[in-house]
Amino acid sequence: MDGLVQIAQKVVDAVSEILPFPISLSDEKGYIIGSTLPDRIGRQHPPSIEVLHKNQMIEYDEANIIDIHNVLPGVATPLVLDNKTLGVLGIIGPPVQVKPYANLVKKYVEMTWQETIQKQTKEFRTKTLETFAQYILLNDNVNKEKIKQYSSLFHLDYDVKRYCILINIGNSLLPDISNNFQIDLFKEQLLRMVVDVFECKDNYLGTFLNTEKIILLKPVNSEFEYASSLKKFHDKGMKLIESFRSLKINDVSIAVGNISRSLEDVSNSYDEAERLIEYGLNLGITPKVYSYHDWDLVSNILPKQINNDFLDKISFNLDMFIKSENYAELANTFITYCESELNVSKTAQKLYLHRNTLIYRLKKIEEITSLDTKSFQHCVVLYVALKQDTRVLK
């Protein structure tokens, strides 16, 4: 009934602009909750009680209302929602004149009422889904039974393997945030695009986590199926970026996390996707579609995974190198050398150096560090250590 209370006066005002007769709306207890005659609102309406009891339209002329308080001539008809009579429409005027309008106005009120209830139900489901996603992804400690209750509510299988796809759209929604109706429709459109691009059919959870992040928890039957999905992830991510760009959303980053056993631990997949986006953005890697299936991305991220304890242990080997006068130049030369497959000619070409100049620099590095620049095993250790140092030229 709350839906009718919220729209009652709005409906009355809308109808009164085109209907030449005053109208009223009563609730399921016979109290007037909307009327073109404001002083009647809040009063109990005897004809409405009779209509609710008989569940049929009743006509009231001057003769049969003379002894009834707060009643005007006209017709009153029940308002029905989902086969339940939950209110009454009254049209004031001579019954013979107002009766032809009764069914038309009744249908309009019921339709508006139904749309309002559906909109409220949809909004409630959307907000509840967002709350659920926030609960399982952003909390360190979650309650298994609570997750199962939510899963049942949204018809999700709790024990199915899933992985998280995270789409970050930055501040793209902020200019429109004041218009709730438009922003809700826009968010629905973006979610449909995500679901379509990543070919979700059922048992998935897709929602906004906040105004910047969209998450898709996609079910998967096996690790083999997950691996197959990763192979297609880059192309699908690029397709989604292009789709979003058509809607003037240009700042998009997408990442995929690892496979999780159930909804209870899917936050690990989300955290991994978030870290990938962070790494990718910090390293300036484009396009902004990130997964561990991308070996170029992995090779860039690897040095960031080396902990400080390991670096401390080898620091004595690097101390003199780091303190050398031409450290940045030599470090940049060495990194380019490694990324050129330890090929002197390729490195010299990339750095626009004479071959002899490059060889001189490599020998200088060997003198300072005692490593063999022709040994892959030696080079990879120094390469990883140098990639940690922000002073190294890009």
Side-chain angles (χ1 to χ4, degrees), residues 41-303:
I41 295 176
R43 297 181 182 181
Q44 194 168 48
H45 191 230
S48 293
I49 296 175
E50 184 178 5
V51 169
L52 289 166
H53 177 69
K54 294 182 178 180
N55 197 29
Q56 64 182 33
M57 181 189 294
I58 300 177
E59 301 178 27
Y60 296 90
D61 57 25
E62 295 285 355
N64 57 20
I65 64 168
I66 192 168
D67 296 323
I68 309 176
H69 179 65
N70 191 33
V71 177
L72 298 172
V75 299
T77 185
L79 295 170
V80 180
L81 179 65
D82 294 332
N83 298 317
K84 295 180 181 179
T85 301
L86 297 177
V88 176
L89 163 70
I91 305 180
I92 301 169
V96 68
Q97 295 181 27
V98 301
K99 187 175 180 180
Y101 296 95
N103 281 330
L104 181 62
V105 178
K106 166 185 164 70
K107 293 297 182 185
Y108 173 78
V109 173
E110 290 173 343
M111 181 181 68
T112 305
W113 185 8
Q114 180 71 46
E115 288 176 351
T116 300
I117 296 298
Q118 289 175 345
K119 184 173 182 291
Q120 289 176 338
T121 302
K122 187 176 182 180
E123 288 175 352
F124 175 76
R125 187 183 188 281
T126 298
K127 294 298 181 185
T128 305
L129 192 60
E130 288 180 9
T131 300
F132 179 40
Q134 291 165 0
Y135 177 72
I136 60 175
L137 299 181
L138 304 181
N139 282 287
D140 293 332
N141 297 307
V142 294
N143 182 282
K144 184 175 182 178
E145 292 306 314
K146 186 173 183 179
I147 295 176
K148 286 186 173 182
Q149 289 174 1
Y150 270 108
S151 300
S152 177
L153 175 66
F154 294 112
H155 307 292
L156 297 171
D157 292 333
Y158 168 82
D159 288 321
V160 169
K161 295 181 178 68
R162 285 182 172 81
Y163 60 93
C164 178
I165 297 172
L166 173 61
I167 302 103
N168 192 317
I169 60 173
N171 297 324
S172 302
L173 297 184
L174 289 183
D176 303 313
I177 201 92
S178 58
N179 189 332
N180 289 333
F181 178 71
Q182 291 298 330
I183 200 68
D184 287 345
L185 291 178
F186 192 44
K187 287 167 70 175
E188 283 182 31
Q189 185 178 5
L190 296 179
L191 280 171
R192 281 197 300 271
M193 284 182 171
V194 172
V195 170
D196 289 344
V197 165
F198 289 105
E199 300 177 342
C200 299
K201 295 180 180 179
D202 52 32
N203 207 15
Y204 65 89
L205 192 162
T207 181
F208 273 79
L209 199 60
N210 52 44
T211 56
E212 296 182 0
K213 297 175 182 178
I214 303 170
I215 59 102
L216 180 65
L217 304 184
K218 187 174 180 181
V220 64
N221 293 319
S222 65
E223 293 189 1
F224 176 78
E225 183 180 331
Y226 170 69
S228 298
S229 299
L230 287 188
K231 291 179 182 179
K232 304 173 185 176
F233 181 74
H234 182 271
D235 290 343
K236 290 183 181 296
M238 292 302 300
K239 181 179 179 180
L240 185 64
I241 287 176
E242 289 301 317
S243 297
F244 277 19
R245 192 169 290 150
S246 69
L247 298 176
K248 303 188 185 309
I249 295 182
N250 300 312
D251 184 17
V252 182
S253 306
I254 307 173
V256 58
N258 231 321
I259 192 170
S260 299
R261 293 169 300 175
S262 70
L263 283 170
E264 188 175 354
D265 64 355
V266 76
S267 61
N268 295 325
S269 184
Y270 167 78
D271 291 341
E272 191 170 77
E274 183 134 63
R275 283 194 298 271
L276 278 174
I277 288 181
E278 182 181 352
Y279 290 141
L281 296 180
N282 288 340
L283 294 168
I285 297 173
T286 56
K288 299 177 182 179
V289 181
Y290 309 122
S291 80
Y292 281 116
H293 183 72
D294 184 343
W295 284 105
D296 289 333
L297 173 65
V298 171
S299 66
N300 278 284
I301 291 176
L302 175 62

